[in-house]
Each structure stands twice: as structure tokens, then as C-alpha cells.
Amino acid sequence: MKTLFLPILAIGALAGAAQAAPPVRVAAKVAVEGAWCRAAPKGAPAGGCYLTLTAVAADQLVSVETPAAARAEIHTMSMDGGVMRMRKLSEGLALPAGQAVALKPGAEHLMVIGPKIDLVAGASVPLTLRFKFAPPVAINVPVKAVGGK
Ligand SMILES: [Cu+2]
């Protein structure tokens, strides 16, 4: 009887401890820093936008919306047989807790496809970032001529 009873008591004690000290609830939030979109030639079919995301609690960037383009996607780049290719991250981008995730040229980035505005220096692209847990973040991203093209 004793050997049966002890484990049950232990489980009860653990459950009691969990109730007494609930995990600290951090408001799900994602900080956005250093956002910019790269200037593109008039009539370009798409443009890249870059920023750094830091999630307080583990989260996921699931989608991007903009009224300034037909649509926006989350992309990644990787080498494929010696050629850099872009690919849509349909599952979104993981944001580990407290870790800055940089979306930058040559790596993960946001792609505005079918821009309705000219992506010229001085313009700005309104983006709404949607996350799995954190509330959406709306930002106005400045267009910068970077890369000398
Ligand atoms: Cu892309």
C-alpha cells in the first residue's frame, strides 16, 4: 500500500507547487527595429523589406500585409546548385524568446509583390506584421536606396 501511495502523494505535491507559483506571464509582444525597404526600379515586380524582430516570448511571424502591393510574403534565400534562390516561408518565421531575428538582404526577408507605389527613396511602405501570439504590429517602413543600383 505504501509503495502505491507515495508516487500519488508526490504528484499531488508537484501539482500543489505549480498552483502556488504559476509561471510569470509575459505579455506576448514583438519589438521591430531598423525596418527598411530597398528601392527598386520603376515597374519592378517586387521589392525586399528588412527588419529585426525580437519576441518577448517564443512566437512566430505568420504573415505580412500591405495596402501598397498586391501581396506581401515572408521569404528565405538559400543556395540551390550554386544559384541563390528565394522561397516563400509558408509556415512563417520562428521567433525564439528574447532573441533578435534579423531579416536582411541575402537571407530571410519580406517581399512586397506587385507594388502599387514606386519603391523610391523617400517613399514608405505600410506593413502589418501578424504573429501567432503577439498582437499585430503596423509600421511605416522607409524606402532606402541601398546597394548602389
Ligand atoms: Cu523574396
Side-chain angles (χ1 to χ4, degrees), residues 75 86 109 111:
H75 280 190
M86 291 200 296
H109 59 276
M111 196 107 240

Side-chain angles (χ1 to χ4, degrees), residues 27-147:
K29 214 175 106 184
V30 177
V32 182
E33 286 173 291
W36 63 284
C37 293
R38 193 202 291 271
K42 260 192 186 186
C49 296
Y50 313 95
L51 41 77
T52 297
L53 299 173
T54 308
V56 172
D59 210 322
Q60 196 173 344
L61 175 66
V62 289
S63 67
V64 186
E65 288 162 23
T66 179
R71 66 182 195 278
E73 294 180 349
I74 307 159
H75 280 190
T76 187
M77 291 187 95
S78 55
M79 291 298 281
D80 177 11
V83 183
M84 269 295 231
R85 286 189 200 279
M86 291 200 296
R87 173 169 73 80
K88 184 186 173 186
L89 290 173
S90 29
E91 262 122 73
L93 182 65
L95 303 172
Q99 206 173 301
V101 175
L103 288 83
K104 56 194 178 195
E108 281 75 27
H109 59 276
L110 306 178
M111 196 107 240
V112 291
I113 297 162
K116 295 172 184 169
I117 59 164
D118 287 333
L119 297 172
V120 292
S124 67
V125 179
L127 292 180
T128 300
L129 311 175
R130 297 199 180 275
F131 304 97
K132 192 170 180 182
F133 302 113
V137 175
I139 44 171
N140 249 332
V141 183
V143 177
K144 293 180 183 178
V146 178

